């Protein structure tokens, strides 16, 4: 007879090392390649998060644990870095990530209205992904594009001087 309670799943007793890894060997290698370029392993945290995020389109909890192990940190240290930046999410993103800026410059020039219009067109709210997984709509606190407000970031591409019409064209172009 087992001394463990029946409601306690045996799988949770499995050591971490025997779980399937979220980080691929290629991702681990890219992270290790950064070690000589930084003064400490902790300094590699942010670039490691970017590597995982660009590959998986998110940084799940298990990936944070594996990054921590690789960098000889605690998972809390990795989570602290990840949670500081709005860029990283734990849930997968859509194929296209559309960030509409709502900083004061963008808000004054119609950024909030553009964001609302985009949400209506897509049938989602900021922070959500379309049912087909095509687009994740988010707001950004500042994209640093104040001279071109209102602005958005689509993937790595800045979109400037937005209007509702430009947003519609932009969203229609994302396949």
């Amino acid at each position: 007879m087992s001394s463990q309670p029946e409601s306690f799943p045996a799988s949770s007793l499995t050591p971490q090392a025997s779980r399937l890894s979220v980080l691929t060997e290629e991702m681990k290698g890219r992270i290790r390649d950064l070690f000589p370029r930084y003064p400490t392993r902790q300094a590699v945290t942010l670039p490691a998060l970017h590597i995982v995020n660009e590959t998986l389109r998110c940084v799940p909890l298990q990936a944070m644990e594996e990054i921590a192990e690789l960098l000889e940190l605690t998972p809390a240290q990795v989570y602290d870095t990840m949670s500081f930046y709005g860029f990283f999410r734990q849930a997968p993103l859509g194929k296209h990530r559309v960030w509409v800026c709502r900083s004061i410059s963008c808000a004054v020039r119609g950024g909030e209205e553009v964001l609302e219009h985009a949400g209506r067109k897509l049938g989602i709210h900021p922070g959500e992904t379309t049912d087909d997984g095509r687009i994740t709509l988010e707001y950004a606190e500042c994209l640093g594009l104040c001279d071109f407000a209102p602005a958005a970031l689509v993937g790595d591409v800045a979109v400037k001087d937005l209007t509702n019409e430009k947003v519609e064209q932009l969203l229609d172009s994302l396949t």
Side-chain angles (χ1 to χ4, degrees):
M1 182 177 226
S2 172
S3 61
Q4 101 184 25
E6 287 190 37
S7 63
F8 192 73
S11 62
S12 64
L13 298 176
T14 306
Q16 184 174 347
S18 65
R19 289 189 304 181
L20 289 177
S21 180
V22 171
L23 301 185
T24 65
E25 287 305 316
E26 188 265 338
M27 285 189 279
K28 290 177 188 177
R30 287 179 60 199
I31 293 168
R32 284 186 195 103
D33 288 346
L34 295 171
F35 291 174
R37 296 176 50 197
Y38 290 87
T40 65
R41 294 263 177 109
Q42 186 167 8
V44 177
T45 306
L46 187 58
L49 288 167
H50 278 290
I51 288 169
V52 173
N53 191 65
E54 78 182 30
T55 305
L56 302 178
R57 309 254 325 126
C58 65
V59 183
L61 181 60
Q62 185 177 338
M64 283 186 269
E65 293 172 358
E66 292 176 31
I67 290 169
E69 186 176 330
L70 197 60
L71 301 181
E72 299 172 356
L73 302 171
T74 66
Q77 289 172 295
V78 175
Y79 179 79
D80 283 349
T81 300
M82 189 190 109
S83 63
F84 180 80
Y85 297 95
F87 187 79
F88 303 109
R89 294 195 29 172
Q90 287 185 277
L93 297 167
K95 181 178 178 184
H96 302 282
R97 189 177 196 182
V98 177
W99 284 29
V100 178
C101 186
R102 68 175 196 179
S103 69
I104 190 69
S105 298
C106 286
V108 166
R109 297 201 54 208
E112 291 286 344
E113 292 81 8
V114 166
L115 179 62
E116 288 174 20
H117 186 75
R120 281 192 304 276
K121 177 162 178 59
L122 295 170
I124 59 175
H125 294 95
E128 296 178 342
T129 300
T130 56
D131 289 338
D132 61 4
R134 191 170 57 99
I135 298 171
T136 298
L137 179 66
E138 296 183 293
Y139 63 84
E141 289 304 331
C142 183
L143 296 174
L145 297 166
C146 301
D147 289 352
F148 306 101
L153 191 63
V154 180
D156 295 331
V157 178
V159 183
K160 306 168 186 175
D161 301 311
L162 286 173
T163 62
N164 287 347
E165 295 75 30
K166 276 186 169 180
V167 164
E168 286 200 29
Q169 292 170 358
L170 169 71
L171 296 175
D172 288 342
S173 74
L174 300 176
T175 57

